[in-house]
Amino acid sequence: MLTLALTVLVAGVAGLARGFSGFGAALIFMPAGSALVGPAVAAPVLLVADGVLSLGFLPRAWVLARRRDVALMASGAVIGVPLGAYVLRHSDPLLLRWVIAGLASSMLLLLVSGWRYHGTPRASVTAVVGAVAGLFGGLAQMTGPPVVAYWLSGKETHGTMRASIILFFGATTVFTFISYLVSGIITVQTLWLAALVAPAYALGLFSGARAFHLASPDIFRRLCFVLIAASVVTSLPVWR
């Protein structure tokens, strides 16, 4: 019961970050979730809960997003996602926990540093970024940071970029669900756990979406960074 309660709590916090910024849920949920229930359970739980509960964001995202760029990036993700799912399915769980903690830490440092891609956005580069994001997504649901670092180099407003991220996530959710289903990662156990954490995740999504229009993006972004760092540090296998 304690494990379930902690998983639900982490899911709520992850949903809050996702609802506000359009990404960040995996960076918070996956390190802690992997420590609580294992990487091969945490990843499909987040995928199912987020995929179902984020459907309401897609219509508006379709209107505001740069659909051509999203399609190009999704073409790369088609290749990256199955590779990530294969690694998740066949790797040692303890090793995966270290890999996920390392990925989350690296993505956090990337976001905190403020580094941006300053090259000229080209179709080939966009597709490669999509492949990398898909690989990270299939492995640990960490699709967002490479995409954010790349798209922040443009001149789009925060709302347009957020919409493009949400639409891209919608596409990768489909790819990942199929890959997880074929690989046997999605089980009855993960579906039940996803149903149990979904209410808390939904509350976080709703609150984060409301905060997007009310709060300062800079303040909330810093709070997300703190939560991601706390999730990584407290979930390291060394504390076992």
Side-chain angles (χ1 to χ4, degrees), residues 39-227:
V41 175
V45 164
L46 179 60
L47 173 74
V48 172
D50 182 76
V52 172
L53 294 171
S54 299
L55 289 175
F57 294 124
L58 292 178
R60 182 167 176 79
W62 177 264
V63 174
L64 297 177
R66 294 180 60 87
R67 293 192 293 270
R68 178 180 176 275
D69 291 342
V70 172
L72 285 170
M73 194 166 283
S75 68
V78 170
I79 299 172
V81 165
L83 294 176
Y86 180 85
V87 174
L88 176 65
R89 177 68 178 82
H90 295 284
S91 297
D92 176 72
L94 183 61
L95 175 61
L96 275 178
R97 285 181 58 191
W98 281 110
V99 170
I100 289 170
L103 275 177
S105 302
S106 301
M107 296 299 97
L108 175 60
L109 290 175
L110 176 66
L111 295 173
V112 171
S113 71
W115 182 86
R116 304 289 181 265
Y117 173 77
H118 295 295
T120 302
R122 296 192 301 272
S124 58
V125 177
T126 303
V128 169
V129 172
V132 174
L135 175 65
F136 290 172
L139 171 62
Q141 295 299 295
M142 296 181 186
T143 312
V147 178
V148 172
Y150 178 66
W151 272 338
L152 277 178
S153 62
K155 303 186 186 312
E156 290 80 12
T157 64
H158 182 59
T160 300
M161 188 187 72
R162 177 175 177 268
S164 298
I165 293 170
I166 290 172
L167 192 60
F168 176 67
F169 276 14
T172 56
T173 294
V174 175
F175 305 155
T176 309
F177 185 85
I178 294 172
S179 295
Y180 282 6
L181 200 60
V182 171
S183 302
I185 296 174
I186 292 179
T187 64
V188 174
Q189 176 193 15
T190 59
L191 292 176
W192 272 111
L193 186 54
L196 291 173
V197 305
Y201 192 75
L203 179 61
L205 278 175
F206 176 78
S207 302
R210 290 291 300 273
F212 175 73
H213 301 288
L214 301 175
S216 164
D218 290 335
I219 293 175
F220 201 91
R221 189 179 297 113
R222 292 190 185 99
L223 176 60
C224 287
F225 292 163
V226 172
L227 292 173

